[in-house]
Amino acid sequence: MKNVIILGSTGSIGTQTLEVIEKLENKFNVLGLACGSNVELVKSQIEKFNPKYVSIANQKDIVELQKEYKNTEFFYGKEGLLELSKIKENDILVVATSGIVSVKAVLSAIENKKTIALANKETLVMAGDIVMKKAKENNVSILPIDSEHSAILQCLNKIDNPYAKNLWITASGGPFRNNSREEMANFSAREALNHPRWAMGKKITVDCATLVNKGLEVIEAHHLYNFSYDNIKVAIHPQSIVHSLVEFADGSFLAQMGVPSMHIPIQYALSYPERFEGIKTNSFNIFNQNLEFFEPDNQKFPLLNLTIECGKLGGIMPVVLNAANEVAVYKFLEGKINFLDIEKTIIKEIESAKNILNPTLDEIFEVDKEIRKRLG
Ligand code: NDP
Ligand code: MG
């Protein structure tokens, strides 16, 4: 029985992680949960899973919770996340918060030798060099939850596979794959949120429509697997059945397939290197699958290459891109800017940014904060 603490338990990945654990209740125990402001949902999670530790964003919410749930110890804020990262009896820390709130908790969990099941891509995009260096020093595994990176791990078989030549990351292409740029300019948040294959949180769904998500995933893969950017390729695969591929030196390609559901990569990150029967066992019908692969259209979706370019430049540039993108995406979701303005906001920020190579964590947070303040 392994103990699991989930940061971001009330979100899309967090709730699905709890579904996986519920199904595998004899294998995993929910030791702790952390969320932002969805107190009602976390209450029902406490009742169902009886965690020993819970952290929520605001201090004011814990007074009532502590009275109601006497067997649970409550924490709050970023300090609360840090506390959960250190709990002695924990085995696996699932990082499914959005944004950058958990970066310090991830570093602390690594120092405390906890296995990290990582959904949050901002952690690696912003501080990949720092996080992976610390993981190596502490001999800690960072197991990906993101479906593409889970697929790559499954194909590589072991993280440092010397025969792997190229990583091929697949992308559905998003809801606007077949639309013109003129049409895109007029699409609302509702249309951008209508993802053809995956049900996810709002921010990442918009990132799929702009293809920024795929660029962030290339950066994530670069850090996780220590692959040069020239050996990480992107293929548009509208069916979202092949979740990614690895090309080997002898011309063999290995692909990982299955229904587009986060339950499978979440479960694999928890069970690695074992596999158990789970929610999605028997969910895939191999017959009548029509699998297509296309080159990305970089004219129509310039943010894919721009994001990868920021990854290649390294230093503070991925931080600039990530912050500008996040502010722009939330403005778009609020109806304040149009879809193509996301692109304009990011390009303007990148063009005026001054790179800092090998930034410290403080410099990363400072630049991130400055951009959010200025654009917000
Ligand atoms: P959601 O927006 O659905 O969930 C975010 C979670 O983070 C919620 O539980 C939220 O709590 C919590 N949270 C937000 N702010 C804080 C805070 N200050 N303190 C503590 N908790 C906080 O996001 P997703 O589940 O979609 O995505 C999570 C991460 O996983 C992202 O980085 C995303 O890129 C990545 N990812 C997601 C995939 C998906 O399928 N959804 C696929 C691959 C990666 P509350 O709601 O209570 O405020
Ligand atoms: Mg993904």
Side-chain angles (χ1 to χ4, degrees), residues 30-88:
V30 177
L31 182 67
L33 300 172
C35 72
S37 51
N38 195 342
V39 177
E40 283 315 305
L41 182 53
V42 86
K43 272 179 163 186
S44 66
Q45 294 177 341
I46 295 170
E47 277 158 32
K48 194 162 192 177
F49 295 96
N50 194 22
K52 231 168 133 179
Y53 308 98
V54 169
S55 178
I56 49 177
N58 300 314
Q59 186 178 14
K60 68 172 176 42
D61 293 325
I62 67 174
V63 182
E64 183 208 338
L65 287 167
Q66 190 67 79
K67 268 192 215 148
E68 206 167 333
Y69 304 104
K70 298 217 162 33
N71 297 331
T72 300
E73 187 177 347
F74 288 90
F75 303 95
Y76 68 91
K78 285 188 186 164
E79 279 305 311
L81 299 175
L82 271 182
E83 288 299 331
L84 293 199
S85 72
K86 297 177 198 161
I87 303 285
K88 248 203 161 84

CSV table of all heavy atoms in Angstrom, one decimal, residues 30-88:
chain,number,residue,atom,x,y,z
A,30,VAL,N,-5.0,7.6,0.2
A,30,VAL,CA,-4.9,9.1,0.1
A,30,VAL,C,-4.5,9.6,1.5
A,30,VAL,O,-5.3,9.7,2.4
A,30,VAL,CB,-6.3,9.7,-0.3
A,30,VAL,CG1,-6.2,11.2,-0.3
A,30,VAL,CG2,-6.7,9.1,-1.6
A,31,LEU,N,-3.3,10.1,1.6
A,31,LEU,CA,-2.8,10.6,2.8
A,31,LEU,C,-3.0,12.1,3.0
A,31,LEU,O,-3.3,12.6,4.1
A,31,LEU,CB,-1.3,10.3,2.9
A,31,LEU,CG,-0.5,10.7,4.2
A,31,LEU,CD1,-1.0,9.9,5.3
A,31,LEU,CD2,1.0,10.6,4.0
A,32,GLY,N,-3.0,12.8,1.8
A,32,GLY,CA,-3.2,14.2,1.9
A,32,GLY,C,-3.8,14.8,0.7
A,32,GLY,O,-3.7,14.2,-0.4
A,33,LEU,N,-4.4,16.0,0.8
A,33,LEU,CA,-5.0,16.7,-0.3
A,33,LEU,C,-4.7,18.2,-0.2
A,33,LEU,O,-4.6,18.7,0.9
A,33,LEU,CB,-6.6,16.5,-0.3
A,33,LEU,CG,-7.2,15.1,-0.4
A,33,LEU,CD1,-8.7,15.2,-0.2
A,33,LEU,CD2,-6.9,14.5,-1.8
A,34,ALA,N,-4.6,18.8,-1.3
A,34,ALA,CA,-4.4,20.3,-1.3
A,34,ALA,C,-5.2,20.9,-2.4
A,34,ALA,O,-5.3,20.3,-3.5
A,34,ALA,CB,-3.0,20.7,-1.4
A,35,CYS,N,-5.9,22.0,-2.2
A,35,CYS,CA,-6.7,22.6,-3.2
A,35,CYS,C,-6.6,24.2,-3.1
A,35,CYS,O,-5.9,24.7,-2.1
A,35,CYS,CB,-8.1,22.2,-3.2
A,35,CYS,SG,-9.1,22.8,-1.9
A,36,GLY,N,-7.3,24.9,-3.9
A,36,GLY,CA,-7.3,26.3,-3.9
A,36,GLY,C,-8.5,26.8,-3.1
A,36,GLY,O,-8.5,26.7,-1.8
A,37,SER,N,-9.6,27.1,-3.8
A,37,SER,CA,-10.8,27.7,-3.1
A,37,SER,C,-12.1,26.8,-3.1
A,37,SER,O,-13.1,27.3,-2.6
A,37,SER,CB,-11.0,29.1,-3.6
A,37,SER,OG,-11.1,29.0,-5.0
A,38,ASN,N,-12.0,25.7,-3.8
A,38,ASN,CA,-13.2,24.9,-3.9
A,38,ASN,C,-13.4,24.0,-2.6
A,38,ASN,O,-13.2,22.8,-2.6
A,38,ASN,CB,-13.1,24.0,-5.1
A,38,ASN,CG,-14.4,23.4,-5.5
A,38,ASN,OD1,-15.4,23.4,-4.7
A,38,ASN,ND2,-14.5,22.9,-6.7
A,39,VAL,N,-13.9,24.7,-1.6
A,39,VAL,CA,-14.0,24.1,-0.2
A,39,VAL,C,-15.1,23.0,-0.3
A,39,VAL,O,-15.0,22.0,0.4
A,39,VAL,CB,-14.3,25.2,0.8
A,39,VAL,CG1,-14.6,24.6,2.2
A,39,VAL,CG2,-13.2,26.2,0.9
A,40,GLU,N,-16.2,23.3,-1.0
A,40,GLU,CA,-17.3,22.3,-1.0
A,40,GLU,C,-16.8,21.0,-1.6
A,40,GLU,O,-17.1,19.9,-1.0
A,40,GLU,CB,-18.5,22.8,-1.9
A,40,GLU,CG,-19.3,23.9,-1.2
A,40,GLU,CD,-19.6,23.5,0.3
A,40,GLU,OE1,-20.2,22.4,0.5
A,40,GLU,OE2,-19.3,24.2,1.2
A,41,LEU,N,-16.0,21.0,-2.7
A,41,LEU,CA,-15.6,19.8,-3.3
A,41,LEU,C,-14.5,19.1,-2.3
A,41,LEU,O,-14.6,17.9,-2.2
A,41,LEU,CB,-14.9,20.0,-4.7
A,41,LEU,CG,-14.5,18.8,-5.4
A,41,LEU,CD1,-15.5,17.7,-5.5
A,41,LEU,CD2,-14.0,19.1,-6.8
A,42,VAL,N,-13.7,19.9,-1.7
A,42,VAL,CA,-12.6,19.2,-0.9
A,42,VAL,C,-13.3,18.6,0.3
A,42,VAL,O,-12.9,17.5,0.8
A,42,VAL,CB,-11.5,20.2,-0.5
A,42,VAL,CG1,-11.8,21.0,0.7
A,42,VAL,CG2,-10.2,19.4,-0.3
A,43,LYS,N,-14.4,19.2,0.8
A,43,LYS,CA,-15.2,18.6,1.9
A,43,LYS,C,-15.7,17.2,1.5
A,43,LYS,O,-15.5,16.2,2.3
A,43,LYS,CB,-16.4,19.4,2.3
A,43,LYS,CG,-16.1,20.5,3.2
A,43,LYS,CD,-17.4,21.3,3.4
A,43,LYS,CE,-17.5,22.1,4.6
A,43,LYS,NZ,-18.8,22.7,4.9
A,44,SER,N,-16.2,17.1,0.3
A,44,SER,CA,-16.7,15.7,-0.1
A,44,SER,C,-15.6,14.8,-0.3
A,44,SER,O,-15.7,13.6,0.0
A,44,SER,CB,-17.6,15.8,-1.3
A,44,SER,OG,-16.9,16.2,-2.4
A,45,GLN,N,-14.4,15.3,-0.7
A,45,GLN,CA,-13.2,14.4,-0.8
A,45,GLN,C,-12.7,13.9,0.6
A,45,GLN,O,-12.3,12.8,0.7
A,45,GLN,CB,-12.1,15.1,-1.6
A,45,GLN,CG,-12.5,15.4,-3.0
A,45,GLN,CD,-11.4,16.2,-3.8
A,45,GLN,OE1,-10.6,16.9,-3.2
A,45,GLN,NE2,-11.5,16.2,-5.1
A,46,ILE,N,-12.8,14.8,1.5
A,46,ILE,CA,-12.4,14.5,2.9
A,46,ILE,C,-13.3,13.4,3.4
A,46,ILE,O,-12.9,12.4,4.0
A,46,ILE,CB,-12.4,15.7,3.9
A,46,ILE,CG1,-11.4,16.7,3.4
A,46,ILE,CG2,-12.1,15.3,5.3
A,46,ILE,CD1,-11.5,18.1,4.1
A,47,GLU,N,-14.6,13.6,3.2
A,47,GLU,CA,-15.6,12.5,3.7
A,47,GLU,C,-15.3,11.2,3.1
A,47,GLU,O,-15.4,10.1,3.7
A,47,GLU,CB,-17.0,13.0,3.5
A,47,GLU,CG,-17.4,14.0,4.6
A,47,GLU,CD,-18.5,14.9,4.3
A,47,GLU,OE1,-19.4,14.5,3.5
A,47,GLU,OE2,-18.5,16.0,4.8
A,48,LYS,N,-15.0,11.2,1.8
A,48,LYS,CA,-14.8,9.9,1.1
A,48,LYS,C,-13.5,9.3,1.4
A,48,LYS,O,-13.4,8.1,1.6
A,48,LYS,CB,-14.9,10.2,-0.4
A,48,LYS,CG,-15.1,9.0,-1.3
A,48,LYS,CD,-15.6,9.4,-2.6
A,48,LYS,CE,-16.1,8.3,-3.5
A,48,LYS,NZ,-16.6,8.8,-4.7
A,49,PHE,N,-12.4,10.1,1.5
A,49,PHE,CA,-11.1,9.5,1.5
A,49,PHE,C,-10.4,9.6,2.9
A,49,PHE,O,-9.3,9.0,3.1
A,49,PHE,CB,-10.2,10.0,0.4
A,49,PHE,CG,-10.6,9.7,-1.0
A,49,PHE,CD1,-11.4,10.6,-1.7
A,49,PHE,CD2,-10.3,8.5,-1.5
A,49,PHE,CE1,-11.8,10.3,-3.0
A,49,PHE,CE2,-10.7,8.1,-2.8
A,49,PHE,CZ,-11.5,9.0,-3.5
A,50,ASN,N,-11.0,10.4,3.8
A,50,ASN,CA,-10.5,10.5,5.1
A,50,ASN,C,-8.9,10.8,5.2
A,50,ASN,O,-8.2,10.1,5.9
A,50,ASN,CB,-10.8,9.2,5.9
A,50,ASN,CG,-10.6,9.4,7.4
A,50,ASN,OD1,-10.6,10.6,7.9
A,50,ASN,ND2,-10.4,8.3,8.1
A,51,PRO,N,-8.5,11.8,4.5
A,51,PRO,CA,-7.0,12.1,4.5
A,51,PRO,C,-6.6,12.6,5.9
A,51,PRO,O,-7.3,13.3,6.6
A,51,PRO,CB,-6.9,13.2,3.4
A,51,PRO,CG,-8.2,13.9,3.4
A,51,PRO,CD,-9.2,12.8,3.7
A,52,LYS,N,-5.3,12.4,6.2
A,52,LYS,CA,-4.8,12.8,7.5
A,52,LYS,C,-4.4,14.3,7.4
A,52,LYS,O,-4.4,15.0,8.4
A,52,LYS,CB,-3.5,12.0,7.8
A,52,LYS,CG,-3.5,11.4,9.1
A,52,LYS,CD,-2.3,10.4,9.2
A,52,LYS,CE,-1.5,10.6,10.5
A,52,LYS,NZ,-0.5,9.6,10.6
A,53,TYR,N,-4.1,14.8,6.2
A,53,TYR,CA,-3.6,16.2,6.0
A,53,TYR,C,-4.3,16.8,4.9
A,53,TYR,O,-4.5,16.2,3.8
A,53,TYR,CB,-2.1,16.2,5.7
A,53,TYR,CG,-1.3,15.4,6.7
A,53,TYR,CD1,-0.8,14.1,6.4
A,53,TYR,CD2,-0.9,16.0,7.9
A,53,TYR,CE1,-0.1,13.4,7.3
A,53,TYR,CE2,-0.2,15.2,8.9
A,53,TYR,CZ,0.3,14.0,8.5
A,53,TYR,OH,1.0,13.2,9.4
A,54,VAL,N,-4.8,18.1,5.1
A,54,VAL,CA,-5.4,18.8,4.0
A,54,VAL,C,-4.9,20.3,4.0
A,54,VAL,O,-4.8,20.9,5.1
A,54,VAL,CB,-6.9,18.8,4.1
A,54,VAL,CG1,-7.6,19.9,3.1
A,54,VAL,CG2,-7.5,17.4,3.8
A,55,SER,N,-4.6,20.8,2.8
A,55,SER,CA,-4.2,22.2,2.7
A,55,SER,C,-5.1,22.9,1.8
A,55,SER,O,-5.4,22.4,0.7
A,55,SER,CB,-2.7,22.3,2.3
A,55,SER,OG,-2.4,23.7,2.2
A,56,ILE,N,-5.5,24.1,2.1
A,56,ILE,CA,-6.3,24.9,1.2
A,56,ILE,C,-5.7,26.3,1.1
A,56,ILE,O,-4.9,26.7,1.9
A,56,ILE,CB,-7.8,25.0,1.7
A,56,ILE,CG1,-7.9,25.4,3.1
A,56,ILE,CG2,-8.5,23.7,1.4
A,56,ILE,CD1,-9.3,25.6,3.6
A,57,ALA,N,-6.2,27.1,0.1
A,57,ALA,CA,-5.5,28.3,-0.2
A,57,ALA,C,-5.6,29.4,0.9
A,57,ALA,O,-4.7,30.0,1.3
A,57,ALA,CB,-5.9,28.9,-1.6
A,58,ASN,N,-6.9,29.5,1.4
A,58,ASN,CA,-7.1,30.6,2.3
A,58,ASN,C,-7.3,30.2,3.8
A,58,ASN,O,-8.0,29.3,4.1
A,58,ASN,CB,-8.4,31.4,1.9
A,58,ASN,CG,-8.3,31.9,0.5
A,58,ASN,OD1,-7.3,32.5,0.1
A,58,ASN,ND2,-9.3,31.6,-0.3
A,59,GLN,N,-6.6,31.0,4.6
A,59,GLN,CA,-6.6,30.7,6.1
A,59,GLN,C,-8.0,30.7,6.6
A,59,GLN,O,-8.4,29.9,7.5
A,59,GLN,CB,-5.8,31.7,6.8
A,59,GLN,CG,-5.6,31.4,8.3
A,59,GLN,CD,-4.7,32.4,9.0
A,59,GLN,OE1,-4.4,33.5,8.4
A,59,GLN,NE2,-4.2,32.1,10.2
A,60,LYS,N,-8.9,31.6,6.1
A,60,LYS,CA,-10.2,31.8,6.7
A,60,LYS,C,-11.1,30.5,6.6
A,60,LYS,O,-11.9,30.3,7.4
A,60,LYS,CB,-10.9,33.0,6.1
A,60,LYS,CG,-11.3,32.8,4.6
A,60,LYS,CD,-12.1,34.0,4.1
A,60,LYS,CE,-12.5,33.9,2.7
A,60,LYS,NZ,-12.8,32.7,2.0
A,61,ASP,N,-10.8,29.7,5.6
A,61,ASP,CA,-11.6,28.5,5.4
A,61,ASP,C,-11.3,27.4,6.3
A,61,ASP,O,-12.1,26.5,6.5
A,61,ASP,CB,-11.4,28.0,3.9
A,61,ASP,CG,-12.0,29.0,2.9
A,61,ASP,OD1,-13.0,29.6,3.2
A,61,ASP,OD2,-11.4,29.1,1.8
A,62,ILE,N,-10.1,27.4,7.0
A,62,ILE,CA,-9.8,26.2,7.7
A,62,ILE,C,-10.4,26.2,9.1
A,62,ILE,O,-10.5,25.1,9.7
A,62,ILE,CB,-8.2,26.0,7.8
A,62,ILE,CG1,-7.5,27.0,8.7
A,62,ILE,CG2,-7.6,25.8,6.5
A,62,ILE,CD1,-6.0,26.7,8.9
A,63,VAL,N,-10.9,27.3,9.7
A,63,VAL,CA,-11.4,27.3,11.0
A,63,VAL,C,-12.6,26.3,11.1
A,63,VAL,O,-12.7,25.4,11.9
A,63,VAL,CB,-11.8,28.7,11.4
A,63,VAL,CG1,-12.4,28.7,12.8
A,63,VAL,CG2,-10.7,29.7,11.3
A,64,GLU,N,-13.5,26.6,10.1
A,64,GLU,CA,-14.8,25.7,10.0
A,64,GLU,C,-14.4,24.3,9.7
A,64,GLU,O,-15.0,23.4,10.3
A,64,GLU,CB,-15.7,26.3,8.9
A,64,GLU,CG,-17.0,25.6,8.8
A,64,GLU,CD,-17.5,25.7,7.4
A,64,GLU,OE1,-17.1,26.7,6.6
A,64,GLU,OE2,-18.3,24.9,7.0
A,65,LEU,N,-13.5,24.1,8.8
A,65,LEU,CA,-13.1,22.7,8.4
A,65,LEU,C,-12.5,22.0,9.6
A,65,LEU,O,-12.8,20.8,9.8
A,65,LEU,CB,-12.1,22.8,7.3
A,65,LEU,CG,-12.7,23.1,5.9
A,65,LEU,CD1,-11.5,23.4,4.9
A,65,LEU,CD2,-13.5,22.0,5.3
A,66,GLN,N,-11.6,22.6,10.4
A,66,GLN,CA,-11.0,22.0,11.5
A,66,GLN,C,-12.0,21.5,12.5
A,66,GLN,O,-11.9,20.4,13.1
A,66,GLN,CB,-9.9,22.9,12.1
A,66,GLN,CG,-9.0,22.2,13.1
A,66,GLN,CD,-8.1,21.1,12.5
A,66,GLN,OE1,-7.1,21.5,11.9
A,66,GLN,NE2,-8.5,19.9,12.6
A,67,LYS,N,-13.1,22.3,12.7
A,67,LYS,CA,-14.2,22.0,13.6
A,67,LYS,C,-14.9,20.7,13.1
A,67,LYS,O,-15.3,19.9,13.9
A,67,LYS,CB,-15.2,23.1,13.7
A,67,LYS,CG,-14.8,24.1,14.8
A,67,LYS,CD,-16.0,25.1,15.0
A,67,LYS,CE,-15.6,26.4,15.4
A,67,LYS,NZ,-16.4,27.5,14.9
A,68,GLU,N,-15.1,20.7,11.8
A,68,GLU,CA,-16.0,19.7,11.3
A,68,GLU,C,-15.2,18.3,11.1
A,68,GLU,O,-15.8,17.3,11.3
A,68,GLU,CB,-16.4,20.1,9.9
A,68,GLU,CG,-17.7,19.5,9.4
A,68,GLU,CD,-18.3,20.2,8.2
A,68,GLU,OE1,-18.0,21.4,8.0
A,68,GLU,OE2,-19.0,19.5,7.5
A,69,TYR,N,-13.9,18.4,10.8
A,69,TYR,CA,-13.2,17.2,10.5
A,69,TYR,C,-12.0,17.1,11.5
A,69,TYR,O,-10.9,17.6,11.3
A,69,TYR,CB,-12.6,17.1,9.1
A,69,TYR,CG,-13.8,17.3,8.1
A,69,TYR,CD1,-14.0,18.5,7.4
A,69,TYR,CD2,-14.7,16.2,7.9
A,69,TYR,CE1,-15.0,18.6,6.5
A,69,TYR,CE2,-15.7,16.4,7.0
A,69,TYR,CZ,-15.9,17.6,6.3
A,69,TYR,OH,-16.9,17.7,5.4
A,70,LYS,N,-12.3,16.5,12.7
A,70,LYS,CA,-11.3,16.5,13.8
A,70,LYS,C,-10.1,15.6,13.6
A,70,LYS,O,-9.1,15.7,14.2
A,70,LYS,CB,-12.0,16.1,15.1
A,70,LYS,CG,-13.2,17.1,15.4
A,70,LYS,CD,-13.3,17.3,16.9
A,70,LYS,CE,-14.0,18.5,17.3
A,70,LYS,NZ,-15.1,19.0,16.5
A,71,ASN,N,-10.3,14.6,12.7
A,71,ASN,CA,-9.1,13.6,12.4
A,71,ASN,C,-8.2,14.1,11.4
A,71,ASN,O,-7.2,13.5,11.1
A,71,ASN,CB,-9.7,12.3,12.0
A,71,ASN,CG,-10.5,11.6,13.0
A,71,ASN,OD1,-10.3,11.9,14.2
A,71,ASN,ND2,-11.5,10.9,12.6
A,72,THR,N,-8.5,15.3,10.8
A,72,THR,CA,-7.6,15.8,9.7
A,72,THR,C,-6.9,17.0,10.2
A,72,THR,O,-7.4,17.9,10.9
A,72,THR,CB,-8.5,16.2,8.5
A,72,THR,OG1,-9.1,15.0,8.1
A,72,THR,CG2,-7.6,16.7,7.4
A,73,GLU,N,-5.6,17.1,9.9
A,73,GLU,CA,-4.8,18.3,10.2
A,73,GLU,C,-4.8,19.3,9.0
A,73,GLU,O,-4.5,18.8,7.9
A,73,GLU,CB,-3.4,17.9,10.6
A,73,GLU,CG,-2.6,19.0,11.1
A,73,GLU,CD,-1.1,18.6,11.5
A,73,GLU,OE1,-0.9,17.4,11.6
A,73,GLU,OE2,-0.3,19.4,11.7
A,74,PHE,N,-5.2,20.5,9.3
A,74,PHE,CA,-5.3,21.5,8.2
A,74,PHE,C,-4.1,22.5,8.1
A,74,PHE,O,-3.6,22.9,9.1
A,74,PHE,CB,-6.6,22.3,8.3
A,74,PHE,CG,-7.8,21.4,8.0
A,74,PHE,CD1,-8.4,20.7,9.0
A,74,PHE,CD2,-8.2,21.3,6.7
A,74,PHE,CE1,-9.5,19.8,8.7
A,74,PHE,CE2,-9.3,20.4,6.3
A,74,PHE,CZ,-10.0,19.7,7.4
A,75,PHE,N,-3.8,22.8,6.8
A,75,PHE,CA,-2.7,23.8,6.6
A,75,PHE,C,-3.3,24.8,5.6
A,75,PHE,O,-4.4,24.5,5.0
A,75,PHE,CB,-1.5,23.2,6.0
A,75,PHE,CG,-0.9,22.1,6.8
A,75,PHE,CD1,-1.2,20.8,6.5
A,75,PHE,CD2,0.0,22.4,7.8
A,75,PHE,CE1,-0.6,19.8,7.3
A,75,PHE,CE2,0.6,21.4,8.5
A,75,PHE,CZ,0.3,20.1,8.3
A,76,TYR,N,-2.6,25.9,5.3
A,76,TYR,CA,-3.1,26.8,4.3
A,76,TYR,C,-2.0,27.5,3.5
A,76,TYR,O,-0.9,27.6,4.0
A,76,TYR,CB,-4.1,27.9,4.9
A,76,TYR,CG,-3.4,28.8,5.8
A,76,TYR,CD1,-2.9,30.0,5.3
A,76,TYR,CD2,-3.3,28.5,7.2
A,76,TYR,CE1,-2.2,30.9,6.2
A,76,TYR,CE2,-2.6,29.4,8.0
A,76,TYR,CZ,-2.1,30.6,7.5
A,76,TYR,OH,-1.4,31.5,8.3
A,77,GLY,N,-2.4,28.0,2.3
A,77,GLY,CA,-1.5,28.8,1.5
A,77,GLY,C,-0.3,28.0,1.0
A,77,GLY,O,-0.3,26.8,1.0
A,78,LYS,N,0.7,28.8,0.5
A,78,LYS,CA,1.9,28.2,-0.1
A,78,LYS,C,2.6,27.4,0.9
A,78,LYS,O,3.2,26.3,0.7
A,78,LYS,CB,2.8,29.2,-0.7
A,78,LYS,CG,2.2,29.7,-2.0
A,78,LYS,CD,3.2,30.6,-2.7
A,78,LYS,CE,2.6,31.3,-3.9
A,78,LYS,NZ,3.3,32.4,-4.5
A,79,GLU,N,2.6,27.9,2.2
A,79,GLU,CA,3.3,27.2,3.3
A,79,GLU,C,2.7,25.8,3.5
A,79,GLU,O,3.3,24.8,3.8
A,79,GLU,CB,3.2,28.0,4.6
A,79,GLU,CG,4.2,29.1,4.7
A,79,GLU,CD,5.6,28.6,4.6
A,79,GLU,OE1,5.9,27.6,5.2
A,79,GLU,OE2,6.4,29.2,3.8
A,80,GLY,N,1.3,25.8,3.3
A,80,GLY,CA,0.6,24.5,3.4
A,80,GLY,C,1.1,23.5,2.4
A,80,GLY,O,1.3,22.3,2.7
A,81,LEU,N,1.3,24.0,1.2
A,81,LEU,CA,1.8,23.0,0.1
A,81,LEU,C,3.2,22.5,0.5
A,81,LEU,O,3.5,21.4,0.4
A,81,LEU,CB,1.8,23.8,-1.2
A,81,LEU,CG,0.5,24.3,-1.8
A,81,LEU,CD1,0.7,25.0,-3.1
A,81,LEU,CD2,-0.4,23.1,-2.0
A,82,LEU,N,4.0,23.4,1.1
A,82,LEU,CA,5.3,23.0,1.5
A,82,LEU,C,5.3,22.0,2.6
A,82,LEU,O,6.0,21.0,2.6
A,82,LEU,CB,6.1,24.3,2.0
A,82,LEU,CG,6.9,25.1,1.0
A,82,LEU,CD1,7.6,26.2,1.7
A,82,LEU,CD2,7.9,24.2,0.2
A,83,GLU,N,4.4,22.2,3.6
A,83,GLU,CA,4.2,21.2,4.6
A,83,GLU,C,3.9,19.9,4.1
A,83,GLU,O,4.4,18.9,4.5
A,83,GLU,CB,3.1,21.7,5.6
A,83,GLU,CG,3.4,22.9,6.5
A,83,GLU,CD,4.6,22.6,7.4
A,83,GLU,OE1,4.8,21.4,7.8
A,83,GLU,OE2,5.3,23.6,7.7
A,84,LEU,N,2.9,19.8,3.1
A,84,LEU,CA,2.5,18.5,2.6
A,84,LEU,C,3.7,17.9,1.8
A,84,LEU,O,3.8,16.6,1.7
A,84,LEU,CB,1.3,18.7,1.6
A,84,LEU,CG,0.0,19.1,2.3
A,84,LEU,CD1,-1.2,18.7,1.3
A,84,LEU,CD2,-0.3,18.4,3.6
A,85,SER,N,4.6,18.7,1.3
A,85,SER,CA,5.7,18.1,0.5
A,85,SER,C,6.7,17.3,1.4
A,85,SER,O,7.5,16.6,0.9
A,85,SER,CB,6.4,19.2,-0.3
A,85,SER,OG,7.2,20.0,0.7
A,86,LYS,N,6.6,17.6,2.7
A,86,LYS,CA,7.6,17.0,3.6
A,86,LYS,C,7.0,15.9,4.5
A,86,LYS,O,7.8,15.3,5.3
A,86,LYS,CB,8.0,18.1,4.6
A,86,LYS,CG,8.7,19.3,4.0
A,86,LYS,CD,9.0,20.3,5.0
A,86,LYS,CE,9.3,21.7,4.4
A,86,LYS,NZ,9.2,22.7,5.4
A,87,ILE,N,5.8,15.6,4.4
A,87,ILE,CA,5.2,14.6,5.3
A,87,ILE,C,5.9,13.2,5.2
A,87,ILE,O,6.1,12.6,4.1
A,87,ILE,CB,3.7,14.3,4.9
A,87,ILE,CG1,2.9,15.6,5.0
A,87,ILE,CG2,3.1,13.2,5.8
A,87,ILE,CD1,2.5,16.2,6.3
A,88,LYS,N,6.4,12.8,6.3
A,88,LYS,CA,7.3,11.7,6.4
A,88,LYS,C,6.8,10.4,5.8
A,88,LYS,O,7.4,9.7,5.0
A,88,LYS,CB,7.7,11.4,7.9
A,88,LYS,CG,9.1,11.7,8.2
A,88,LYS,CD,9.6,10.9,9.4
A,88,LYS,CE,11.1,10.8,9.4
A,88,LYS,NZ,11.7,12.0,10.0
